[in-house]
Amino acid sequence: MLVFDEETTRVLDNAYRGREITARRLANLDALAPAPGDKILDLGCGNGLMTSELSRAVGPKGHVTGLDPSTDMRTSAAKHCAGQTNVTFVEGMADDMPFEDQSFDGAVSVQVFEYIPDIPAALAEVQRVLKPGGRLVIGDMHWDTLAWYSPHRERMQHVLGIWDGHLAHRETPAHLPQMMRDAGFTFDGVHQIPFWDTRLKPDGTTMMLLNLIEAFVGQTGALTEQEAHDWAQEQHDLATQGRFFFSISHFICIAHKP
């Protein structure tokens, strides 16, 4: 499990408020299209930035429930949603949710399902807690779309192979359409959101990943902290030289309960 130090936490929060991840979050929100008065489930709410956006979208007659197993994440989410009275945060897992049948008009989950070991079980739970006609939006990275330049190709592949260990699934979006159908949903479509960076933007996806991966591979012991630092420093050097390149795609899968 990745342990966040103060600097990693700062970079992560900066990226979540940055242009790229904000655009991704709002694209998932637009795909859900919450209406005033809706009751919405934010599945794997994390730090609550999506929950806050949803709260404003459904208005005072609606309600948003953020579900997350992490006490630290729920505490952070509550701070981000301070003063928004139509929000509740609940401890729980995607495959065993503490809600009654047909509790929600819609559900959204951003970069969560790639970490869920049993996706069919989670989809069955979402099917149970959604009302008929309820919309489901799941946004995840397809890690096979990652293109990240390094003149030391073998080291880059080794580092990214270690990073794969933090995922349950590398290619979640490729399997979600059929999994949604198997769970009884009507699949409505998929949207692609590509990210690319040739400058290593301070508030960008790549800067966040660079810090997270450096911390993770060092903590696993698969590389020394110095080796992990050298890998990350190379990317900073490439950016200074105008040789930096990174690209990955986020996919939004949309379905509804008949």
Side-chain angles (χ1 to χ4, degrees), residues 74-123:
R74 295 195 310 276
T75 299
S76 177
K79 291 179 181 178
H80 283 137
C81 295
Q84 292 175 280
T85 58
N86 62 344
V87 171
T88 303
F89 293 103
V90 177
E91 180 179 4
M93 302 292 289
D95 57 359
D96 186 20
M97 292 190 277
F99 308 121
E100 296 182 359
D101 295 357
Q102 300 185 17
S103 295
F104 300 101
D105 298 294
V108 62
S109 182
V110 180
Q111 211 162 335
V112 172
F113 272 69
E114 62 199 62
Y115 299 106
I116 297 175
D118 191 346
I119 291 178
L123 289 173

mmCIF file of all heavy atoms in Angstrom, residues 74-123:
data_model
loop_
_atom_site.group_PDB
_atom_site.id
_atom_site.type_symbol
_atom_site.label_atom_id
_atom_site.label_comp_id
_atom_site.label_asym_id
_atom_site.label_seq_id
_atom_site.Cartn_x
_atom_site.Cartn_y
_atom_site.Cartn_z
ATOM 1 N N ARG A 74 -12.335 9.834 3.683
ATOM 2 C CA ARG A 74 -13.635 10.394 4.074
ATOM 3 C C ARG A 74 -13.463 11.676 4.889
ATOM 4 O O ARG A 74 -14.247 12.619 4.751
ATOM 5 C CB ARG A 74 -14.466 9.365 4.847
ATOM 6 C CG ARG A 74 -14.868 8.146 4.026
ATOM 7 C CD ARG A 74 -15.984 7.351 4.720
ATOM 8 N NE ARG A 74 -15.690 7.065 6.112
ATOM 9 C CZ ARG A 74 -14.963 6.037 6.540
ATOM 10 N NH1 ARG A 74 -14.432 5.201 5.655
ATOM 11 N NH2 ARG A 74 -14.755 5.835 7.829
ATOM 12 N N THR A 75 -12.425 11.718 5.714
ATOM 13 C CA THR A 75 -12.141 12.928 6.488
ATOM 14 C C THR A 75 -11.772 14.081 5.563
ATOM 15 O O THR A 75 -12.261 15.209 5.721
ATOM 16 C CB THR A 75 -10.996 12.672 7.486
ATOM 17 O OG1 THR A 75 -11.382 11.640 8.391
ATOM 18 C CG2 THR A 75 -10.659 13.932 8.262
ATOM 19 N N SER A 76 -10.929 13.787 4.563
ATOM 20 C CA SER A 76 -10.559 14.804 3.580
ATOM 21 C C SER A 76 -11.776 15.256 2.782
ATOM 22 O O SER A 76 -11.963 16.455 2.520
ATOM 23 C CB SER A 76 -9.490 14.245 2.637
ATOM 24 O OG SER A 76 -9.165 15.177 1.623
ATOM 25 N N ALA A 77 -12.624 14.302 2.402
ATOM 26 C CA ALA A 77 -13.830 14.631 1.637
ATOM 27 C C ALA A 77 -14.767 15.522 2.432
ATOM 28 O O ALA A 77 -15.358 16.472 1.889
ATOM 29 C CB ALA A 77 -14.536 13.341 1.231
ATOM 30 N N ALA A 78 -14.916 15.238 3.713
ATOM 31 C CA ALA A 78 -15.791 16.055 4.549
ATOM 32 C C ALA A 78 -15.293 17.494 4.623
ATOM 33 O O ALA A 78 -16.098 18.447 4.635
ATOM 34 C CB ALA A 78 -15.887 15.447 5.950
ATOM 35 N N LYS A 79 -13.976 17.667 4.640
ATOM 36 C CA LYS A 79 -13.410 19.024 4.651
ATOM 37 C C LYS A 79 -13.700 19.740 3.339
ATOM 38 O O LYS A 79 -14.040 20.923 3.325
ATOM 39 C CB LYS A 79 -11.901 18.954 4.895
ATOM 40 C CG LYS A 79 -11.528 18.510 6.306
ATOM 41 C CD LYS A 79 -10.017 18.433 6.472
ATOM 42 C CE LYS A 79 -9.638 17.966 7.859
ATOM 43 N NZ LYS A 79 -8.160 17.830 8.016
ATOM 44 N N HIS A 80 -13.563 19.014 2.215
ATOM 45 C CA HIS A 80 -13.821 19.639 0.912
ATOM 46 C C HIS A 80 -15.294 19.993 0.731
ATOM 47 O O HIS A 80 -15.625 20.868 -0.077
ATOM 48 C CB HIS A 80 -13.368 18.706 -0.217
ATOM 49 C CG HIS A 80 -11.899 18.681 -0.421
ATOM 50 N ND1 HIS A 80 -11.176 17.521 -0.631
ATOM 51 C CD2 HIS A 80 -10.972 19.683 -0.436
ATOM 52 C CE1 HIS A 80 -9.895 17.809 -0.768
ATOM 53 N NE2 HIS A 80 -9.750 19.100 -0.654
ATOM 54 N N CYS A 81 -16.172 19.286 1.448
ATOM 55 C CA CYS A 81 -17.609 19.522 1.307
ATOM 56 C C CYS A 81 -18.200 20.256 2.507
ATOM 57 O O CYS A 81 -19.421 20.237 2.714
ATOM 58 C CB CYS A 81 -18.337 18.186 1.119
ATOM 59 S SG CYS A 81 -17.918 17.331 -0.404
ATOM 60 N N ALA A 82 -17.352 20.884 3.296
ATOM 61 C CA ALA A 82 -17.829 21.615 4.477
ATOM 62 C C ALA A 82 -18.865 22.664 4.082
ATOM 63 O O ALA A 82 -18.665 23.421 3.125
ATOM 64 C CB ALA A 82 -16.648 22.282 5.181
ATOM 65 N N GLY A 83 -19.981 22.653 4.785
ATOM 66 C CA GLY A 83 -21.051 23.615 4.509
ATOM 67 C C GLY A 83 -22.070 23.147 3.491
ATOM 68 O O GLY A 83 -23.114 23.792 3.313
ATOM 69 N N GLN A 84 -21.814 22.034 2.822
ATOM 70 C CA GLN A 84 -22.766 21.486 1.850
ATOM 71 C C GLN A 84 -23.629 20.457 2.585
ATOM 72 O O GLN A 84 -23.222 19.319 2.833
ATOM 73 C CB GLN A 84 -22.029 20.864 0.664
ATOM 74 C CG GLN A 84 -21.306 21.913 -0.179
ATOM 75 C CD GLN A 84 -20.471 21.319 -1.301
ATOM 76 O OE1 GLN A 84 -19.358 20.865 -1.065
ATOM 77 N NE2 GLN A 84 -21.002 21.335 -2.522
ATOM 78 N N THR A 85 -24.833 20.867 2.922
ATOM 79 C CA THR A 85 -25.678 20.085 3.834
ATOM 80 C C THR A 85 -26.377 18.908 3.170
ATOM 81 O O THR A 85 -26.990 18.094 3.865
ATOM 82 C CB THR A 85 -26.739 20.996 4.480
ATOM 83 O OG1 THR A 85 -27.523 21.616 3.436
ATOM 84 C CG2 THR A 85 -26.077 22.091 5.310
ATOM 85 N N ASN A 86 -26.279 18.798 1.861
ATOM 86 C CA ASN A 86 -26.946 17.690 1.154
ATOM 87 C C ASN A 86 -25.961 16.568 0.812
ATOM 88 O O ASN A 86 -26.121 15.870 -0.186
ATOM 89 C CB ASN A 86 -27.640 18.194 -0.112
ATOM 90 C CG ASN A 86 -26.659 18.800 -1.111
ATOM 91 O OD1 ASN A 86 -25.515 19.119 -0.759
ATOM 92 N ND2 ASN A 86 -27.094 18.980 -2.350
ATOM 93 N N VAL A 87 -24.944 16.397 1.656
ATOM 94 C CA VAL A 87 -23.901 15.395 1.441
ATOM 95 C C VAL A 87 -23.746 14.522 2.680
ATOM 96 O O VAL A 87 -23.771 15.027 3.806
ATOM 97 C CB VAL A 87 -22.548 16.064 1.112
ATOM 98 C CG1 VAL A 87 -21.425 15.046 1.099
ATOM 99 C CG2 VAL A 87 -22.616 16.795 -0.223
ATOM 100 N N THR A 88 -23.601 13.218 2.472
ATOM 101 C CA THR A 88 -23.309 12.270 3.547
ATOM 102 C C THR A 88 -22.151 11.385 3.109
ATOM 103 O O THR A 88 -22.091 10.958 1.951
ATOM 104 C CB THR A 88 -24.525 11.376 3.860
ATOM 105 O OG1 THR A 88 -25.639 12.203 4.199
ATOM 106 C CG2 THR A 88 -24.222 10.428 5.017
ATOM 107 N N PHE A 89 -21.248 11.078 4.031
ATOM 108 C CA PHE A 89 -20.146 10.163 3.750
ATOM 109 C C PHE A 89 -20.311 8.897 4.578
ATOM 110 O O PHE A 89 -20.577 8.956 5.775
ATOM 111 C CB PHE A 89 -18.794 10.828 4.024
ATOM 112 C CG PHE A 89 -18.510 11.955 3.075
ATOM 113 C CD1 PHE A 89 -18.656 13.273 3.482
ATOM 114 C CD2 PHE A 89 -18.128 11.700 1.769
ATOM 115 C CE1 PHE A 89 -18.419 14.318 2.609
ATOM 116 C CE2 PHE A 89 -17.891 12.727 0.878
ATOM 117 C CZ PHE A 89 -18.039 14.037 1.298
ATOM 118 N N VAL A 90 -20.144 7.760 3.897
ATOM 119 C CA VAL A 90 -20.413 6.456 4.505
ATOM 120 C C VAL A 90 -19.223 5.536 4.270
ATOM 121 O O VAL A 90 -18.654 5.507 3.175
ATOM 122 C CB VAL A 90 -21.691 5.828 3.903
ATOM 123 C CG1 VAL A 90 -21.936 4.438 4.474
ATOM 124 C CG2 VAL A 90 -22.895 6.727 4.149
ATOM 125 N N GLU A 91 -18.862 4.770 5.284
ATOM 126 C CA GLU A 91 -17.812 3.762 5.150
ATOM 127 C C GLU A 91 -18.385 2.524 4.469
ATOM 128 O O GLU A 91 -19.474 2.061 4.821
ATOM 129 C CB GLU A 91 -17.256 3.378 6.514
ATOM 130 C CG GLU A 91 -16.165 2.332 6.460
ATOM 131 C CD GLU A 91 -15.607 1.974 7.818
ATOM 132 O OE1 GLU A 91 -16.125 2.492 8.829
ATOM 133 O OE2 GLU A 91 -14.652 1.165 7.881
ATOM 134 N N GLY A 92 -17.676 1.988 3.500
ATOM 135 C CA GLY A 92 -18.157 0.776 2.850
ATOM 136 C C GLY A 92 -17.360 0.408 1.625
ATOM 137 O O GLY A 92 -16.555 1.202 1.112
ATOM 138 N N MET A 93 -17.585 -0.814 1.151
ATOM 139 C CA MET A 93 -16.916 -1.351 -0.021
ATOM 140 C C MET A 93 -17.898 -1.462 -1.178
ATOM 141 O O MET A 93 -19.107 -1.636 -0.975
ATOM 142 C CB MET A 93 -16.336 -2.730 0.284
ATOM 143 C CG MET A 93 -15.343 -2.738 1.444
ATOM 144 S SD MET A 93 -13.813 -1.857 1.071
ATOM 145 C CE MET A 93 -13.080 -3.000 -0.114
ATOM 146 N N ALA A 94 -17.359 -1.398 -2.401
ATOM 147 C CA ALA A 94 -18.205 -1.409 -3.592
ATOM 148 C C ALA A 94 -18.998 -2.702 -3.744
ATOM 149 O O ALA A 94 -20.104 -2.695 -4.280
ATOM 150 C CB ALA A 94 -17.356 -1.181 -4.832
ATOM 151 N N ASP A 95 -18.431 -3.821 -3.276
ATOM 152 C CA ASP A 95 -19.103 -5.103 -3.473
ATOM 153 C C ASP A 95 -19.983 -5.513 -2.303
ATOM 154 O O ASP A 95 -20.521 -6.616 -2.272
ATOM 155 C CB ASP A 95 -18.075 -6.204 -3.759
ATOM 156 C CG ASP A 95 -17.038 -6.345 -2.655
ATOM 157 O OD1 ASP A 95 -17.093 -5.582 -1.668
ATOM 158 O OD2 ASP A 95 -16.164 -7.220 -2.784
ATOM 159 N N ASP A 96 -20.164 -4.610 -1.327
ATOM 160 C CA ASP A 96 -21.020 -4.896 -0.174
ATOM 161 C C ASP A 96 -21.476 -3.575 0.436
ATOM 162 O O ASP A 96 -21.038 -3.178 1.509
ATOM 163 C CB ASP A 96 -20.265 -5.740 0.856
ATOM 164 C CG ASP A 96 -21.156 -6.196 2.008
ATOM 165 O OD1 ASP A 96 -22.387 -6.201 1.836
ATOM 166 O OD2 ASP A 96 -20.603 -6.532 3.075
ATOM 167 N N MET A 97 -22.384 -2.893 -0.264
ATOM 168 C CA MET A 97 -22.757 -1.537 0.124
ATOM 169 C C MET A 97 -23.885 -1.530 1.155
ATOM 170 O O MET A 97 -24.845 -2.299 1.044
ATOM 171 C CB MET A 97 -23.164 -0.741 -1.120
ATOM 172 C CG MET A 97 -21.997 -0.478 -2.058
ATOM 173 S SD MET A 97 -22.367 0.696 -3.375
ATOM 174 C CE MET A 97 -23.162 -0.368 -4.566
ATOM 175 N N PRO A 98 -23.795 -0.652 2.154
ATOM 176 C CA PRO A 98 -24.781 -0.602 3.235
ATOM 177 C C PRO A 98 -26.007 0.244 2.896
ATOM 178 O O PRO A 98 -26.411 1.113 3.678
ATOM 179 C CB PRO A 98 -23.978 0.014 4.384
ATOM 180 C CG PRO A 98 -23.042 0.955 3.690
ATOM 181 C CD PRO A 98 -22.674 0.282 2.394
ATOM 182 N N PHE A 99 -26.608 -0.008 1.734
ATOM 183 C CA PHE A 99 -27.759 0.771 1.294
ATOM 184 C C PHE A 99 -28.917 -0.150 0.936
ATOM 185 O O PHE A 99 -28.715 -1.298 0.519
ATOM 186 C CB PHE A 99 -27.405 1.639 0.077
ATOM 187 C CG PHE A 99 -26.188 2.496 0.265
ATOM 188 C CD1 PHE A 99 -25.097 2.376 -0.581
ATOM 189 C CD2 PHE A 99 -26.127 3.428 1.295
ATOM 190 C CE1 PHE A 99 -23.964 3.154 -0.424
ATOM 191 C CE2 PHE A 99 -24.999 4.222 1.476
ATOM 192 C CZ PHE A 99 -23.914 4.075 0.616
ATOM 193 N N GLU A 100 -30.119 0.380 1.060
ATOM 194 C CA GLU A 100 -31.308 -0.384 0.680
ATOM 195 C C GLU A 100 -31.421 -0.458 -0.841
ATOM 196 O O GLU A 100 -30.827 0.338 -1.574
ATOM 197 C CB GLU A 100 -32.561 0.263 1.269
ATOM 198 C CG GLU A 100 -32.604 0.252 2.795
ATOM 199 C CD GLU A 100 -33.887 0.864 3.325
ATOM 200 O OE1 GLU A 100 -34.737 1.306 2.503
ATOM 201 O OE2 GLU A 100 -34.038 0.925 4.559
ATOM 202 N N ASP A 101 -32.204 -1.410 -1.315
ATOM 203 C CA ASP A 101 -32.453 -1.543 -2.744
ATOM 204 C C ASP A 101 -33.067 -0.260 -3.293
ATOM 205 O O ASP A 101 -33.871 0.407 -2.610
ATOM 206 C CB ASP A 101 -33.409 -2.707 -3.020
ATOM 207 C CG ASP A 101 -32.814 -4.056 -2.653
ATOM 208 O OD1 ASP A 101 -31.643 -4.094 -2.242
ATOM 209 O OD2 ASP A 101 -33.538 -5.063 -2.777
ATOM 210 N N GLN A 102 -32.684 0.081 -4.517
ATOM 211 C CA GLN A 102 -33.269 1.211 -5.252
ATOM 212 C C GLN A 102 -33.207 2.519 -4.453
ATOM 213 O O GLN A 102 -34.185 3.252 -4.334
ATOM 214 C CB GLN A 102 -34.714 0.881 -5.656
ATOM 215 C CG GLN A 102 -34.814 -0.350 -6.544
ATOM 216 C CD GLN A 102 -36.216 -0.630 -7.059
ATOM 217 O OE1 GLN A 102 -37.091 0.256 -7.036
ATOM 218 N NE2 GLN A 102 -36.439 -1.833 -7.540
ATOM 219 N N SER A 103 -32.018 2.808 -3.934
ATOM 220 C CA SER A 103 -31.822 4.013 -3.115
ATOM 221 C C SER A 103 -31.404 5.238 -3.927
ATOM 222 O O SER A 103 -31.562 6.364 -3.452
ATOM 223 C CB SER A 103 -30.740 3.752 -2.061
ATOM 224 O OG SER A 103 -31.126 2.765 -1.141
ATOM 225 N N PHE A 104 -30.870 5.030 -5.153
ATOM 226 C CA PHE A 104 -30.235 6.134 -5.866
ATOM 227 C C PHE A 104 -30.758 6.285 -7.293
ATOM 228 O O PHE A 104 -31.105 5.309 -7.954
ATOM 229 C CB PHE A 104 -28.719 5.920 -5.918
ATOM 230 C CG PHE A 104 -28.068 5.846 -4.560
ATOM 231 C CD1 PHE A 104 -27.730 4.621 -4.007
ATOM 232 C CD2 PHE A 104 -27.819 7.001 -3.846
ATOM 233 C CE1 PHE A 104 -27.127 4.546 -2.757
ATOM 234 C CE2 PHE A 104 -27.226 6.949 -2.591
ATOM 235 C CZ PHE A 104 -26.882 5.718 -2.047
ATOM 236 N N ASP A 105 -30.758 7.555 -7.754
ATOM 237 C CA ASP A 105 -31.130 7.861 -9.136
ATOM 238 C C ASP A 105 -29.948 7.719 -10.089
ATOM 239 O O ASP A 105 -30.142 7.604 -11.304
ATOM 240 C CB ASP A 105 -31.660 9.301 -9.221
ATOM 241 C CG ASP A 105 -32.903 9.501 -8.379
ATOM 242 O OD1 ASP A 105 -33.936 8.897 -8.713
ATOM 243 O OD2 ASP A 105 -32.822 10.252 -7.379
ATOM 244 N N GLY A 106 -28.746 7.744 -9.547
ATOM 245 C CA GLY A 106 -27.567 7.625 -10.382
ATOM 246 C C GLY A 106 -26.348 7.296 -9.538
ATOM 247 O O GLY A 106 -26.331 7.511 -8.323
ATOM 248 N N ALA A 107 -25.312 6.772 -10.196
ATOM 249 C CA ALA A 107 -24.060 6.445 -9.516
ATOM 250 C C ALA A 107 -22.898 6.773 -10.440
ATOM 251 O O ALA A 107 -22.975 6.545 -11.652
ATOM 252 C CB ALA A 107 -24.028 4.969 -9.126
ATOM 253 N N VAL A 108 -21.823 7.279 -9.842
ATOM 254 C CA VAL A 108 -20.631 7.615 -10.602
ATOM 255 C C VAL A 108 -19.408 7.138 -9.833
ATOM 256 O O VAL A 108 -19.383 7.158 -8.596
ATOM 257 C CB VAL A 108 -20.548 9.134 -10.888
ATOM 258 C CG1 VAL A 108 -20.464 9.929 -9.590
ATOM 259 C CG2 VAL A 108 -19.391 9.470 -11.820
ATOM 260 N N SER A 109 -18.400 6.688 -10.568
ATOM 261 C CA SER A 109 -17.174 6.197 -9.947
ATOM 262 C C SER A 109 -16.010 6.558 -10.853
ATOM 263 O O SER A 109 -15.983 6.153 -12.015
ATOM 264 C CB SER A 109 -17.261 4.674 -9.761
ATOM 265 O OG SER A 109 -16.116 4.177 -9.126
ATOM 266 N N VAL A 110 -15.047 7.325 -10.333
ATOM 267 C CA VAL A 110 -13.928 7.803 -11.137
ATOM 268 C C VAL A 110 -12.623 7.182 -10.644
ATOM 269 O O VAL A 110 -12.206 7.400 -9.513
ATOM 270 C CB VAL A 110 -13.838 9.341 -11.105
ATOM 271 C CG1 VAL A 110 -12.666 9.815 -11.962
ATOM 272 C CG2 VAL A 110 -15.136 9.956 -11.604
ATOM 273 N N GLN A 111 -12.009 6.407 -11.503
ATOM 274 C CA GLN A 111 -10.739 5.721 -11.256
ATOM 275 C C GLN A 111 -10.779 4.927 -9.952
ATOM 276 O O GLN A 111 -9.906 5.060 -9.091
ATOM 277 C CB GLN A 111 -9.567 6.703 -11.260
ATOM 278 C CG GLN A 111 -8.299 6.017 -11.763
ATOM 279 C CD GLN A 111 -7.220 6.981 -12.203
ATOM 280 O OE1 GLN A 111 -7.493 8.113 -12.587
ATOM 281 N NE2 GLN A 111 -5.982 6.531 -12.157
ATOM 282 N N VAL A 112 -11.796 4.079 -9.859
ATOM 283 C CA VAL A 112 -11.979 3.205 -8.700
ATOM 284 C C VAL A 112 -12.039 1.744 -9.127
ATOM 285 O O VAL A 112 -11.432 0.875 -8.504
ATOM 286 C CB VAL A 112 -13.258 3.586 -7.922
ATOM 287 C CG1 VAL A 112 -13.555 2.571 -6.827
ATOM 288 C CG2 VAL A 112 -13.133 4.980 -7.327
ATOM 289 N N PHE A 113 -12.745 1.468 -10.220
ATOM 290 C CA PHE A 113 -12.980 0.072 -10.602
ATOM 291 C C PHE A 113 -11.696 -0.646 -10.995
ATOM 292 O O PHE A 113 -11.615 -1.867 -10.887
ATOM 293 C CB PHE A 113 -14.025 -0.012 -11.716
ATOM 294 C CG PHE A 113 -15.426 -0.097 -11.192
ATOM 295 C CD1 PHE A 113 -16.030 0.988 -10.560
ATOM 296 C CD2 PHE A 113 -16.152 -1.278 -11.287
ATOM 297 C CE1 PHE A 113 -17.306 0.913 -10.055
ATOM 298 C CE2 PHE A 113 -17.447 -1.375 -10.781
ATOM 299 C CZ PHE A 113 -18.020 -0.279 -10.157
ATOM 300 N N GLU A 114 -10.672 0.085 -11.423
ATOM 301 C CA GLU A 114 -9.399 -0.561 -11.745
ATOM 302 C C GLU A 114 -8.708 -1.108 -10.489
ATOM 303 O O GLU A 114 -7.759 -1.887 -10.579
ATOM 304 C CB GLU A 114 -8.479 0.396 -12.483
ATOM 305 C CG GLU A 114 -8.079 1.633 -11.712
ATOM 306 C CD GLU A 114 -7.557 2.731 -12.630
ATOM 307 O OE1 GLU A 114 -8.317 3.205 -13.493
ATOM 308 O OE2 GLU A 114 -6.378 3.103 -12.473
ATOM 309 N N TYR A 115 -9.228 -0.723 -9.313
ATOM 310 C CA TYR A 115 -8.683 -1.212 -8.042
ATOM 311 C C TYR A 115 -9.594 -2.231 -7.356
ATOM 312 O O TYR A 115 -9.269 -2.712 -6.269
ATOM 313 C CB TYR A 115 -8.438 -0.043 -7.090
ATOM 314 C CG TYR A 115 -7.447 0.955 -7.628
ATOM 315 C CD1 TYR A 115 -7.863 2.190 -8.106
ATOM 316 C CD2 TYR A 115 -6.091 0.662 -7.681
ATOM 317 C CE1 TYR A 115 -6.954 3.107 -8.617
ATOM 318 C CE2 TYR A 115 -5.174 1.566 -8.189
ATOM 319 C CZ TYR A 115 -5.615 2.789 -8.651
ATOM 320 O OH TYR A 115 -4.713 3.676 -9.166
ATOM 321 N N ILE A 116 -10.738 -2.543 -7.947
ATOM 322 C CA ILE A 116 -11.694 -3.469 -7.329
ATOM 323 C C ILE A 116 -11.409 -4.885 -7.838
ATOM 324 O O ILE A 116 -11.555 -5.161 -9.031
ATOM 325 C CB ILE A 116 -13.139 -3.066 -7.675
ATOM 326 C CG1 ILE A 116 -13.456 -1.686 -7.089
ATOM 327 C CG2 ILE A 116 -14.123 -4.104 -7.153
ATOM 328 C CD1 ILE A 116 -14.823 -1.144 -7.477
ATOM 329 N N PRO A 117 -11.027 -5.812 -6.964
ATOM 330 C CA PRO A 117 -10.708 -7.168 -7.429
ATOM 331 C C PRO A 117 -11.881 -7.861 -8.112
ATOM 332 O O PRO A 117 -11.713 -8.497 -9.151
ATOM 333 C CB PRO A 117 -10.301 -7.894 -6.134
ATOM 334 C CG PRO A 117 -9.833 -6.797 -5.222
ATOM 335 C CD PRO A 117 -10.716 -5.629 -5.541
ATOM 336 N N ASP A 118 -13.079 -7.743 -7.539
ATOM 337 C CA ASP A 118 -14.254 -8.447 -8.066
ATOM 338 C C ASP A 118 -15.223 -7.434 -8.675
ATOM 339 O O ASP A 118 -16.185 -7.003 -8.034
ATOM 340 C CB ASP A 118 -14.924 -9.245 -6.948
ATOM 341 C CG ASP A 118 -15.985 -10.217 -7.464
ATOM 342 O OD1 ASP A 118 -16.380 -10.089 -8.647
ATOM 343 O OD2 ASP A 118 -16.415 -11.092 -6.687
ATOM 344 N N ILE A 119 -14.982 -7.062 -9.925
ATOM 345 C CA ILE A 119 -15.819 -6.064 -10.588
ATOM 346 C C ILE A 119 -17.259 -6.554 -10.763
ATOM 347 O O ILE A 119 -18.199 -5.786 -10.522
ATOM 348 C CB ILE A 119 -15.199 -5.636 -11.933
ATOM 349 C CG1 ILE A 119 -13.914 -4.841 -11.671
ATOM 350 C CG2 ILE A 119 -16.183 -4.807 -12.757
ATOM 351 C CD1 ILE A 119 -13.185 -4.408 -12.927
ATOM 352 N N PRO A 120 -17.504 -7.804 -11.187
ATOM 353 C CA PRO A 120 -18.902 -8.250 -11.311
ATOM 354 C C PRO A 120 -19.698 -8.122 -10.020
ATOM 355 O O PRO A 120 -20.879 -7.745 -10.045
ATOM 356 C CB PRO A 120 -18.755 -9.718 -11.743
ATOM 357 C CG PRO A 120 -17.458 -9.750 -12.487
ATOM 358 C CD PRO A 120 -16.561 -8.819 -11.725
ATOM 359 N N ALA A 121 -19.069 -8.396 -8.876
ATOM 360 C CA ALA A 121 -19.765 -8.261 -7.594
ATOM 361 C C ALA A 121 -20.117 -6.803 -7.327
ATOM 362 O O ALA A 121 -21.211 -6.490 -6.828
ATOM 363 C CB ALA A 121 -18.909 -8.822 -6.463
ATOM 364 N N ALA A 122 -19.204 -5.890 -7.650
ATOM 365 C CA ALA A 122 -19.469 -4.467 -7.453
ATOM 366 C C ALA A 122 -20.590 -3.987 -8.370
ATOM 367 O O ALA A 122 -21.470 -3.223 -7.948
ATOM 368 C CB ALA A 122 -18.197 -3.666 -7.697
ATOM 369 N N LEU A 123 -20.586 -4.435 -9.629
ATOM 370 C CA LEU A 123 -21.639 -4.039 -10.560
ATOM 371 C C LEU A 123 -22.997 -4.579 -10.116
ATOM 372 O O LEU A 123 -24.026 -3.904 -10.271
ATOM 373 C CB LEU A 123 -21.315 -4.519 -11.966
ATOM 374 C CG LEU A 123 -20.159 -3.803 -12.667
ATOM 375 C CD1 LEU A 123 -19.822 -4.489 -13.982
ATOM 376 C CD2 LEU A 123 -20.496 -2.328 -12.913
#
